[in-house]
């Protein structure tokens, strides 16, 4: 089992001063996470999504983080592969260099981005991206393994060239795909890729998605394999704030959740701009419920009614807004549902740095040791 953190660089205040502060705070949080025994720091890639995600250059962030750390995994969750956004040769070069400099700590996730706002920045229509992303997805591991490439594809054409360097991990780092919908889980499983389940469903839905993914993985065909390191691995997103004061954790966590949901709705479906009201937990819940019929968000093309499918999923996750014992109970349910890795999300807009630091420390000191000790106790 793996315990990780995923970052969007989300923020309510988009001033230059706060934007810079958020990035430095994320580094401080990541350094504490390494000390506390977390396994991977994942970074998303989004462009032009104000407030929702300012993590637009994860390759730079992760390279800097790799130089400040020695053990924790360095995760692209994920690199967006439309060629004008990230050409496959440049992706291969960056991944290999990062893997060398991190001493083999890279985890490499791939995807396409989720909004027309992003696709249009690079001259694309979102609906047209999947075939070109698929072409790059199959091409990049070949470059990493062979150290050279010649390719005459529909979207990418490369004359015969040597490509340097080669990654430390042979033939390449572990590969993942961003997943939310059932068909994306089938694709990941059938291609032998780890699944980063970046939707906000609770344990029951994770169990359903895990069954779909494992079945696709078990029945995969050799000709569909992406890369040369197949792995069955499902990572589940888990928003969490873990404090000794349960009511404070719920109030702060739900406020962050509301900001996340509303900023998601703003960019994915044209909803209102997100709120930063500091209400108590019950008032935040009521505010979320008011959006049940009026806000619809799209996350990687999965229709999510905020407040019903989306918000109910978050409501289940309230167990992870609370004390360490609350978090242990909820994480247990995710592992029982089939998750191999917990993708904790703390950095939702407006949640204070000191609250995130306390959450990381509580999980590191009380939650992770509970699960690390469980196999040893079971063996006695």
């Amino acid at each position: 089992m793996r315990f990780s953190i995923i970052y969007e660089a989300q923020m309510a205040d988009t001033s230059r001063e706060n934007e810079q502060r958020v990035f430095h705070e994320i580094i401080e949080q990541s350094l504490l996470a390494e000390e506390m025994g977390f396994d991977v720091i994942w970074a998303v890639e989004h462009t032009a999504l104000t407030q929702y995600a300012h993590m637009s250059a994860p390759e730079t962030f992760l390279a800097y983080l790799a130089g400040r750390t020695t053990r924790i995994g360095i995760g692209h969750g994920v690199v967006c592969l439309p060629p004008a956004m990230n050409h496959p040769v440049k992706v291969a070069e960056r991944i290999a260099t990062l893997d060398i400099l991190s001493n083999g700590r890279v985890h490499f996730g791939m995807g396409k981005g989720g909004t027309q706002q992003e696709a249009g920045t690079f001259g694309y229509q979102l609906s047209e991206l999947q075939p070109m992303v698929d072409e790059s997805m199959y091409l990049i591991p070949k470059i990493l393994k062979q150290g050279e490439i010649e390719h005459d594809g529909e979207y990418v054409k490369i004359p015969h060239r040597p490509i340097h360097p080669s990654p430390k991990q042979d033939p390449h780092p572990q590969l993942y795909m961003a997943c939310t919908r059932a068909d994306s889980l089938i694709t990941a499983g059938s291609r032998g890729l780890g699944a980063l389940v970046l939707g906000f469903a609770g344990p029951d839905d994770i169990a359903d998605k895990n069954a779909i993914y494992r079945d696709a993985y078990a029945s995969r065909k050799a000709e569909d394999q992406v890369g040369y390191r197949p792995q069955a691995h499902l990572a589940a997103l888990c928003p969490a704030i873990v404090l000794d004061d349960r009511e404070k954790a719920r109030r702060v966590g739900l406020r962050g959740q509301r900001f996340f949901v509303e900023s998601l709705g703003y960019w994915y479906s044209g909803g209102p701009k997100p709120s930063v009201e500091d209400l108590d937990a019950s008032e935040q819940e009521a505010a979320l419920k008011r959006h049940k019929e009026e806000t619809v968000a799209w996350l990687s093309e999965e229709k999510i009614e905020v407040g019903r499918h989306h918000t109910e999923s978050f409501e289940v996750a309230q167990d992870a807004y609370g004390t360490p014992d609350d978090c242990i109970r909820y994480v247990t349910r995710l592992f029982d549902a089939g998750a191999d890795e917990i993708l904790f999300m703390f950095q939702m807009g407006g949640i204070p740095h000191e609250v995130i630091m306390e959450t990381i420390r509580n999980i590191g000191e009380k939650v992770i040791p509970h699960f690390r000790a469980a196999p040893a106790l079971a063996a006695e």
Side-chain angles (χ1 to χ4, degrees):
M1 56 186 67
R2 213 187 269 167
F3 298 88
S4 304
I5 307 174
I6 189 164
Y7 281 104
E8 306 256 3
Q10 187 168 109
M11 61 193 72
D13 175 5
T14 59
S15 67
R16 294 173 80 115
E17 294 78 14
N18 188 64
E19 193 173 51
Q20 294 164 28
R21 183 182 305 113
V22 165
F23 275 93
H24 288 292
E25 288 174 349
I26 290 173
I27 291 296
E28 187 176 348
Q29 292 160 21
S30 299
L31 295 177
L32 179 61
E34 176 170 72
E35 180 185 338
M36 290 290 104
F38 284 76
D39 296 295
V40 185
I41 299 295
W42 293 90
V44 305
E45 180 175 13
H46 287 298
T47 293
L49 301 186
T50 306
Q51 291 189 305
Y52 177 69
H54 289 229
M55 187 66 75
S56 57
E59 68 280 359
T60 304
F61 164 75
L62 292 171
Y64 181 79
L65 181 64
R68 295 288 305 274
T69 56
T70 59
R71 178 196 58 79
I72 201 162
I74 304 296
H76 274 283
V78 298
V79 180
C80 296
L81 295 184
M85 189 173 183
N86 287 299
H87 190 279
V89 168
K90 297 308 298 180
V91 174
E93 291 170 341
R94 293 197 305 254
I95 291 295
T97 302
L98 181 59
D99 198 49
I100 290 169
L101 294 176
S102 68
N103 200 28
R105 290 186 278 146
V106 170
H107 298 261
F108 176 29
M110 297 173 278
K112 67 180 176 65
T115 68
Q116 181 56 40
Q117 172 82 356
E118 297 167 275
T121 303
F122 300 94
Y124 295 119
Q125 290 297 312
L126 182 65
S127 60
E128 299 172 355
L129 290 182
Q130 195 59 58
M132 62 186 75
V133 168
D134 289 342
E135 185 174 331
S136 286
M137 183 180 292
Y138 278 95
L139 183 58
I140 293 168
K142 292 181 181 178
I143 299 173
L144 291 169
K145 180 178 186 292
Q146 297 169 3
E148 62 180 9
I149 196 67
E150 182 175 7
H151 180 76
D152 184 19
E154 183 176 356
Y155 302 100
V156 179
K157 298 183 185 297
I158 309 168
H160 185 266
R161 292 291 187 272
I163 307 297
H164 306 299
S166 296
K168 177 177 176 60
Q169 296 179 72
D170 188 7
H172 53 66
Q174 290 180 312
L175 304 177
Y176 305 79
M177 185 177 132
C179 300
T180 51
R181 298 165 289 124
D183 61 347
S184 60
L185 287 156
I186 292 170
T187 298
S190 66
R191 295 180 182 180
L193 299 169
L196 302 176
V197 182
L198 301 180
F200 298 92
D204 291 343
D205 194 65
I206 289 294
D208 292 341
K209 290 180 174 178
N210 180 64
I212 293 168
Y213 170 71
R214 304 289 174 177
D215 182 65
Y217 184 88
S219 59
R220 72 192 189 282
K221 300 175 182 177
E223 59 267 28
D224 294 330
Q225 176 68 44
V226 170
Y228 307 89
R229 293 183 67 184
Q231 62 163 340
H233 181 94
L234 187 140
L237 197 68
C238 179
I241 294 295
V242 182
L243 309 174
D244 293 333
D245 184 338
R246 186 175 191 274
E247 289 308 308
K248 179 180 178 181
R250 292 186 67 248
R251 177 178 64 82
V252 174
L254 284 167
R255 183 181 66 190
Q257 168 193 323
R258 181 182 173 193
F259 184 94
F260 192 104
V261 168
E262 291 178 352
S263 60
L264 182 74
Y266 177 77
W267 285 116
Y268 282 72
S269 66
K273 287 191 174 182
S275 168
V276 291
E277 291 179 289
D278 189 11
L279 308 175
D280 65 31
S282 61
E283 290 171 323
Q284 293 289 8
E285 286 181 283
L288 283 165
K289 289 175 182 177
R290 285 197 296 271
H291 292 281
K292 277 191 173 183
E293 302 303 327
E294 63 189 48
T295 306
V296 175
W298 292 82
L299 179 60
S300 298
E301 300 179 82
E302 179 178 17
K303 189 175 182 181
I304 302 171
E305 295 187 27
V306 177
R308 189 155 69 230
H309 177 99
H310 198 163
T311 307
E312 282 177 6
S313 297
F314 266 101
E315 288 172 357
V316 171
Q318 283 180 35
D319 284 345
Y321 299 143
T323 65
D325 286 342
D326 292 325
C327 186
I328 287 169
R329 281 193 292 271
Y330 186 68
V331 168
T332 298
R333 294 181 63 199
L334 289 175
F335 281 134
D336 288 347
D340 301 296
E341 178 174 3
I342 307 302
L343 297 176
F344 283 114
M345 178 176 282
F346 312 133
Q347 203 263 328
M348 296 174 284
I351 293 182
H353 172 58
E354 60 272 15
V355 169
I356 296 174
M357 292 290 279
E358 184 177 347
T359 294
I360 291 170
R361 191 170 295 279
N362 274 329
I363 291 175
E365 292 179 347
K366 300 170 184 177
V367 177
I368 293 176
H370 170 86
F371 291 96
R372 296 281 192 247
L377 292 173
E380 291 179 357

